[in-house]
Amino acid sequence: MRLSRYFLPVLKENPSEAQIVSHRLMLRAGMIKQQSAGIYAWLPLGFKVLRKLENIVHEEQVRAGHIPMLMPTLQSADLWRESGRYDGYGEEMLRMQDRHGRDMLYSPTAEEMFTDVFRAHVNSYKDLPLTLYQIQWKFRDEIRPRFGVMRGREFYMKDGYNFDLSKEDALHAYNRHLVSYLRTYERMGLQAIPMRADSGPIGGDYTHEFLVLAETGESEVFYDSEITDLTFGDRAIDYDSVEQCQAVLEEFTSRYARTDETHDEALFNEVPEERRRTARGIEVGQIFYFGTQYTDAMNAAVQGPDGKPVQIHMGSHGIGVSRLLGAIIEASHDENGIIWPEGVTPFHVGIVNLKQGDEEADAACEALYDSFTAAGLEPLYDDRKERAGGKFATMDLIGLPWRITVGPRGLKNGVVELTSRRTGESEELPPEQAVEKIIQIYAKHRVTGL
Amino acid sequence: MRLSRYFLPVLKENPSEAQIVSHRLMLRAGMIKQQSAGIYAWLPLGFKVLRKLENIVHEEQVRAGHIPMLMPTLQSADLWRESGRYDGYGEEMLRMQDRHGRDMLYSPTAEEMFTDVFRAHVNSYKDLPLTLYQIQWKFRDEIRPRFGVMRGREFYMKDGYNFDLSKEDALHAYNRHLVSYLRTYERMGLQAIPMRADSGPIGGDYTHEFLVLAETGESEVFYDSEITDLTFGDRAIDYDSVEQCQAVLEEFTSRYARTDETHDEALFNEVPEERRRTARGIEVGQIFYFGTQYTDAMNAAVQGPDGKPVQIHMGSHGIGVSRLLGAIIEASHDENGIIWPEGVTPFHVGIVNLKQGDEEADAACEALYDSFTAAGLEPLYDDRKERAGGKFATMDLIGLPWRITVGPRGLKNGVVELTSRRTGESEELPPEQAVEKIIQIYAKHRVTGL
């Protein structure tokens, strides 16, 4: 993309309404614009990251054997009356009536609707196990929306639902989700720690929240410092293997890690003192096993091998996709702006032309642009007639991990400058080598999506 | 995808509620499930096609230089009061109040919101021209939703908005959209004819609707038969070239083609009688130029070169993405089911194992599966222990363009059977040749998306 043709309305001033850094930086970098309280327009740069996160979530869910589909945003109230949640859900549920006076609602979650699809179409034990999921807009009418996309009212969420013949099978689905979530967050450059949590209005006994450590987190968290040494890494995993998924769950959840909702001081004190940590965390996902609560209420059973009905064990599993943008920025920024992890950056590399209009500099930038594009990477080329300082400030603010600076002086020596956003370190090298280096860096960060 | 692990709830019986063939086939092929009147769940196969159409639209919009972003589904009523459309829009607008009693609505279109983003962030003539677009869920509370996704209430739509400094520039944007739409529909295997249309509640003088000819179309259309000989084809186009875009517009709109809303019997009679055609058509898109109507009402001007304010000329442009699934099926099916064009098929090829459990047949199917996957294609492998007749019927119903049938008898002679869904013609050839042929067929139908 050439910046002269893009729509990137960066702000020089800090917007007064933003209380936390991610909100401030998303506004300043021209990623979002508030349309109503807690409701945002996703400007091109913000949409680009949102789409990339969505694609990563899709890839990892499909890899785990889960099947994507899509529910409507609006639901009939009747389904929620059937499950017994309609009256109890409270004011966070946005309710409305259509022109015929039928009660409807904007989906805050979709246990009922997935259970409804399941009971309509699945009749036999042979069709299980089954995990369906969607990534779709949800609405929760928060009384005090704030912190930008971190606590918005309209938000983008992945929600998945497993249907199994037994508690044992459903717990394998639970573990499989835990593994796939670990992979998902790591690809996004995040360390998200699974913590024992409270199940809230979804219900159930088994639940873990995934928390990213950040000063602005809404939850106080307590954990054993050994946990932050764990990484999932490149390990191969067979998602069908009960043992392998169980082993990952044990590895990542056997040490103390809880939110304030489930914190147990006595247990925490069993952790050696030097490893006890208290911090704040941002919730970016949650997994649940809740058994037969919805399938019983909504009469969703299947025929077993002996022809008798079998109860269906369920769980649900969520990733806050839009909220993740805020979480990533909270975890990765400096005083000059965002620092995108390579896995989620909206553009792979910035090209800054120090002397727009100079024949050689222009040609070198165009050549770089074409090389990256041919390699399937997306460069952002600042081809505006601006001073270098302004161009650098914009690149730092929007946080592309790598910048190539092209100027007549360097070109005379046959070099361009390659700069890391994270370390600030620069090196001079011939353009072809800079391209080669960038291509190699991104080789393990390819996102294809659905 | 292995069918044994997929969720493809095909129906054997024709559902009684479906009046038209696309609705019937989408229900029977397990693509959608109605959740409320005019509101559908997109089951995995339906979602897969929807996503592919979305990706094609994105690719062609980006190719034309248009910039993707995303608006929320819910809007504040205030913006619509400002443009003067809130009271007039009528009962098709779904209105609601949030917990604080603020008037909100589910976006039926987004002229106001895009104009609002524009006026907030664009101040100078230097930032124009600019075309922003989104693909997002919309809601229109149709009094009598019917025909499945063809006339649903919640629907997925691409809507784009151009902002230009003069009528002349805005008409270039209009033409550019016309060209990009022609490309888009052709990639989807559709012939969509641009027809002079009525502008309706959007307003404006210039508008064309794109119509796909089909018996079940909601509009009566009148056209010169020479139009159906036109194809856009592979021609290269420079979207910045006013002349090139104008030439395409003239080529595709100079012959008589109108819907009943704008039909002019006297003009029509000037077409030689043997070329006059009356038919029915499905509207799959519309483009508008409406000048300064919204930008004036909402006070969205920019500074010109002389420092004085310049009025902004706008247009808006829509493609009904979810409705396109219905239109494609209406235009491409037979008595056995859907026939997907190669550009939009949910899976590229079906693999039918005639003798599941036979060691050689299983191994041959797995080898085919791996070859396609390695080539970046998606096969659907029917690995169920079903009779061949049932497997063929399912493949015909869901309409994959190509099927490979693998059985012990053929394998003894070193061949598999490759069958075209459209022609029904089969040929026997060695598995590697079948793979090579399929790869070549899809070489020009790659969809990468955003």
Side-chain angles (χ1 to χ4, degrees):
Chain A
M1 178 59 68
R2 288 170 170 78
L3 198 42
S4 64
R5 306 193 70 155
Y6 202 47
F7 178 56
L8 183 72
V10 300
L11 307 179
K12 292 214 173 97
E13 306 295 323
N14 271 325
S16 59
E17 74 266 35
Q19 298 165 36
I20 61 171
V21 67
S22 60
H23 189 191
R24 198 157 59 232
L25 289 175
M26 287 182 77
L27 289 168
R28 283 198 52 206
M31 297 179 68
I32 53 171
K33 173 182 177 298
Q34 180 172 301
Q35 291 301 118
S36 310
I39 300 183
Y40 290 87
W42 294 81
L43 304 181
L45 194 73
F47 172 65
K48 221 161 160 28
V49 181
L50 186 69
R51 184 84 175 178
K52 199 164 239 183
L53 298 183
E54 176 188 352
N55 278 329
I56 291 173
V57 172
H58 271 309
E59 282 179 27
E60 293 304 327
Q61 288 306 300
V62 168
R63 195 195 306 274
H66 307 157
I67 302 174
M69 54 174 287
L70 194 63
M71 292 298 183
T73 61
L74 298 190
Q75 308 184 9
S76 155
D78 291 339
L79 272 182
W80 288 68
R81 293 197 175 104
E82 210 179 325
S83 74
R85 285 208 290 181
Y86 186 65
D87 294 324
Y89 209 92
E91 289 204 88
E92 283 198 9
M93 178 183 278
L94 184 69
R95 298 157 206 251
M96 68 212 71
Q97 290 196 324
D98 71 8
R99 66 190 296 170
H100 298 296
R102 286 175 294 216
D103 288 327
M104 304 181 65
L105 56 96
Y106 201 119
S107 181
T109 176
E111 279 77 11
E112 283 81 357
M113 210 176 308
F114 275 88
T115 305
D116 182 55
V117 163
F118 179 85
R119 72 177 168 184
H121 289 302
V122 182
N123 306 307
S124 163
Y125 72 97
K126 290 183 200 157
D127 297 328
L128 300 186
L130 181 65
T131 296
L132 302 170
Y133 78 94
Q134 67 169 343
I135 303 178
Q136 178 60 298
W137 292 94
K138 310 281 191 303
F139 199 92
R140 286 183 199 158
D141 203 355
E142 296 255 1
I143 189 159
R144 227 171 283 106
R146 58 201 155 131
F147 303 155
V149 299
M150 296 271 283
R151 190 171 285 189
R153 294 197 292 168
E154 186 169 327
F155 59 98
Y156 205 40
M157 186 174 141
K158 174 260 164 180
D159 46 327
Y161 305 85
N162 65 287
F163 300 90
D164 287 282
L165 292 168
S166 66
K167 178 172 179 178
E168 195 187 352
D169 287 358
L171 288 179
H172 172 54
Y174 185 90
N175 299 349
R176 205 171 57 225
H177 278 88
L178 183 130
V179 177
S180 71
Y181 280 26
L182 289 172
R183 284 187 72 119
T184 302
Y185 297 124
E186 276 197 20
R187 280 187 66 182
M188 296 175 180
L190 283 175
Q191 181 169 51
I193 304 171
M195 299 197 180
R196 181 91 53 101
D198 187 54
S199 64
I202 305 262
D205 297 330
Y206 289 74
T207 179
H208 281 90
E209 273 182 5
F210 291 78
L211 286 109
V212 173
L213 301 179
E215 283 168 26
T216 47
E218 73 274 58
S219 314
E220 194 170 12
V221 299
F222 305 85
Y223 62 96
D224 179 338
S225 67
E226 282 192 350
I227 276 186
T228 52
D229 300 332
L230 300 173
T231 54
F232 190 83
D234 282 338
R235 60 180 105 175
I237 185 127
D238 173 1
Y239 279 106
D240 288 338
S241 162
V242 171
E243 296 70 26
Q244 289 187 25
C245 292
Q246 176 70 26
V248 174
L249 174 102
E250 279 164 17
E251 180 184 349
F252 281 81
T253 65
S254 59
R255 292 171 189 80
Y256 191 92
R258 296 196 178 188
T259 64
D260 42 11
E261 287 170 335
T262 55
H263 180 53
D264 180 325
E265 196 68 29
L267 270 180
F268 189 47
N269 285 334
E270 290 174 16
V271 178
E273 191 169 1
E274 70 278 12
R275 286 175 14 208
R276 274 180 238 153
R277 294 285 186 283
T278 308
R280 299 203 70 83
I282 300 168
E283 191 216 321
V284 292
Q286 190 160 7
I287 56 177
F288 296 94
Y289 160 71
F290 44 67
T292 63
Q293 178 180 338
Y294 294 93
T295 43
D296 283 352
M298 296 179 64
N299 202 17
V302 298
Q303 262 199 349
D306 55 3
K308 289 186 190 149
V310 183
Q311 279 191 311
I312 299 300
H313 290 254
M314 255 183 98
S316 69
H317 315 277
I319 293 180
V321 180
S322 48
R323 145 172 282 237
L324 270 167
L325 271 93
I328 292 169
I329 296 172
E330 290 293 333
S332 185
H333 66 271
D334 64 15
E335 66 280 11
N336 296 319
I338 301 164
I339 307 173
W340 291 115
E342 270 97 357
V344 303
T345 183
F347 294 96
H348 298 99
V349 57
I351 303 172
V352 169
N353 188 342
L354 290 179
K355 201 169 179 188
Q356 201 70 39
D358 176 271
E359 202 171 317
E360 266 189 87
D362 291 1
C365 288
E366 293 290 340
L368 286 167
Y369 192 90
D370 291 344
S371 301
F372 287 123
T373 306
L377 296 178
E378 282 189 287
L380 180 67
Y381 170 24
D382 192 342
D383 59 344
R384 298 169 306 163
K385 291 212 168 177
E386 297 272 334
R387 282 180 313 168
K391 291 188 175 189
F392 290 147
T394 297
M395 284 292 176
D396 283 353
L397 175 61
I398 68 171
L400 309 186
W402 298 95
R403 187 185 79 207
I404 295 183
T405 309
V406 178
R409 203 178 313 167
L411 289 176
K412 255 184 208 137
N413 301 319
V415 296
V416 296
E417 188 186 55
L418 178 63
T419 307
S420 157
R421 173 69 183 87
R422 188 169 295 278
T423 67
E425 283 166 21
S426 291
E427 59 176 322
E428 296 199 324
L429 66 186
E432 315 76 57
Q433 282 181 30
V435 169
E436 195 44 50
K437 186 163 175 178
I438 296 287
I439 290 173
Q440 277 178 24
I441 286 167
Y442 283 106
K444 58 173 197 246
H445 294 289
R446 290 284 171 162
V447 181
T448 47
L450 291 192
Chain B
M1 178 59 66
R2 288 169 169 80
L3 197 43
S4 65
R5 306 193 70 155
Y6 201 47
F7 179 55
L8 183 72
V10 300
L11 307 179
K12 291 213 173 99
E13 306 295 322
N14 272 325
S16 58
E17 74 265 34
Q19 298 165 36
I20 61 171
V21 66
S22 61
H23 189 192
R24 196 157 60 231
L25 289 175
M26 287 182 78
L27 290 168
R28 284 199 51 206
M31 298 179 68
I32 53 171
K33 174 182 177 298
Q34 179 171 301
Q35 290 301 118
S36 311
I39 300 182
Y40 290 87
W42 295 80
L43 303 181
L45 193 73
F47 173 65
K48 220 160 162 25
V49 182
L50 187 70
R51 184 83 173 181
K52 199 164 241 184
L53 298 183
E54 176 188 352
N55 278 329
I56 291 173
V57 173
H58 271 309
E59 281 179 29
E60 293 305 326
Q61 288 306 301
V62 168
R63 193 196 307 272
H66 306 156
I67 302 174
M69 54 174 288
L70 194 63
M71 292 297 182
T73 60
L74 298 190
Q75 308 185 11
S76 156
D78 290 340
L79 272 181
W80 287 68
R81 293 197 175 104
E82 208 177 328
S83 74
R85 284 207 290 179
Y86 186 63
D87 293 324
Y89 209 93
E91 289 203 90
E92 283 198 9
M93 178 183 278
L94 184 70
R95 298 157 205 251
M96 67 212 74
Q97 291 195 324
D98 70 8
R99 67 190 294 170
H100 298 295
R102 286 176 292 216
D103 289 326
M104 304 181 64
L105 56 96
Y106 200 119
S107 182
T109 176
E111 279 78 11
E112 282 81 357
M113 209 178 298
F114 275 88
T115 305
D116 182 54
V117 163
F118 179 85
R119 72 178 168 185
H121 288 302
V122 181
N123 306 307
S124 162
Y125 73 96
K126 290 183 202 158
D127 297 327
L128 299 186
L130 181 65
T131 295
L132 301 171
Y133 79 94
Q134 66 170 345
I135 304 178
Q136 179 60 297
W137 292 94
K138 310 281 192 304
F139 198 92
R140 286 183 199 158
D141 202 355
E142 295 256 1
I143 189 159
R144 226 171 284 107
R146 58 201 154 132
F147 303 154
V149 300
M150 296 270 284
R151 190 171 285 188
R153 295 197 292 168
E154 187 169 329
F155 59 98
Y156 206 41
M157 187 175 142
K158 174 259 165 180
D159 46 326
Y161 306 84
N162 66 288
F163 300 90
D164 285 282
L165 291 168
S166 66
K167 178 173 180 178
E168 194 187 352
D169 287 358
L171 289 180
H172 172 55
Y174 185 90
N175 299 348
R176 206 171 57 227
H177 277 88
L178 183 129
V179 178
S180 70
Y181 281 24
L182 289 172
R183 284 187 71 119
T184 303
Y185 297 123
E186 276 198 18
R187 280 188 66 184
M188 296 175 180
L190 282 175
Q191 181 169 49
I193 304 170
M195 299 197 179
R196 180 93 52 104
D198 187 55
S199 64
I202 306 261
D205 297 329
Y206 289 73
T207 180
H208 280 91
E209 273 182 4
F210 290 78
L211 285 108
V212 173
L213 301 180
E215 282 168 27
T216 48
E218 73 275 60
S219 313
E220 192 170 12
V221 298
F222 304 84
Y223 63 95
D224 179 337
S225 67
E226 281 192 351
I227 276 187
T228 52
D229 299 333
L230 300 172
T231 54
F232 190 82
D234 282 338
R235 60 180 106 175
I237 185 127
D238 174 1
Y239 279 105
D240 289 338
S241 162
V242 171
E243 295 71 27
Q244 288 187 25
C245 292
Q246 176 70 28
V248 174
L249 174 102
E250 279 165 16
E251 180 184 348
F252 281 81
T253 64
S254 59
R255 292 172 189 79
Y256 191 91
R258 296 196 177 187
T259 64
D260 42 12
E261 288 169 334
T262 54
H263 180 53
D264 180 326
E265 197 66 31
L267 269 179
F268 189 47
N269 285 333
E270 292 174 14
V271 177
E273 190 169 2
E274 70 279 10
R275 284 171 20 205
R276 272 180 239 155
R277 296 284 186 283
T278 307
R280 300 201 70 84
I282 300 169
E283 190 215 322
V284 292
Q286 190 161 7
I287 56 177
F288 297 94
Y289 161 71
F290 44 68
T292 63
Q293 176 180 340
Y294 294 93
T295 44
D296 284 352
M298 295 179 64
N299 202 16
V302 299
Q303 263 198 349
D306 56 2
K308 289 188 189 146
V310 183
Q311 278 191 313
I312 299 300
H313 291 254
M314 255 182 99
S316 68
H317 316 276
I319 293 180
V321 180
S322 48
R323 144 173 283 238
L324 271 167
L325 272 93
I328 292 169
I329 295 172
E330 290 292 333
S332 185
H333 66 271
D334 64 15
E335 66 280 10
N336 297 318
I338 301 165
I339 305 173
W340 292 115
E342 269 98 357
V344 302
T345 183
F347 295 96
H348 297 98
V349 56
I351 303 172
V352 169
N353 188 340
L354 290 179
K355 199 168 180 189
Q356 201 71 39
D358 176 90
E359 203 171 315
E360 265 189 88
D362 291 1
C365 288
E366 292 291 339
L368 286 167
Y369 191 90
D370 292 344
S371 301
F372 287 123
T373 306
L377 296 180
E378 282 189 286
L380 180 67
Y381 171 22
D382 192 342
D383 59 344
R384 299 170 305 163
K385 291 211 168 177
E386 297 272 334
R387 283 180 310 169
K391 292 188 175 188
F392 290 147
T394 297
M395 284 292 176
D396 283 352
L397 175 61
I398 68 172
L400 309 186
W402 298 95
R403 187 186 80 206
I404 295 183
T405 309
V406 179
R409 202 177 314 169
L411 289 176
K412 257 186 206 134
N413 302 320
V415 295
V416 296
E417 188 187 55
L418 178 64
T419 307
S420 158
R421 173 70 182 85
R422 189 171 294 278
T423 66
E425 282 166 21
S426 291
E427 59 176 321
E428 296 198 323
L429 67 185
E432 316 77 56
Q433 283 181 29
V435 170
E436 196 44 49
K437 184 162 177 181
I438 296 288
I439 290 173
Q440 277 179 23
I441 286 168
Y442 283 106
K444 58 173 195 243
H445 294 288
R446 290 284 172 164
V447 181
T448 48
L450 291 192

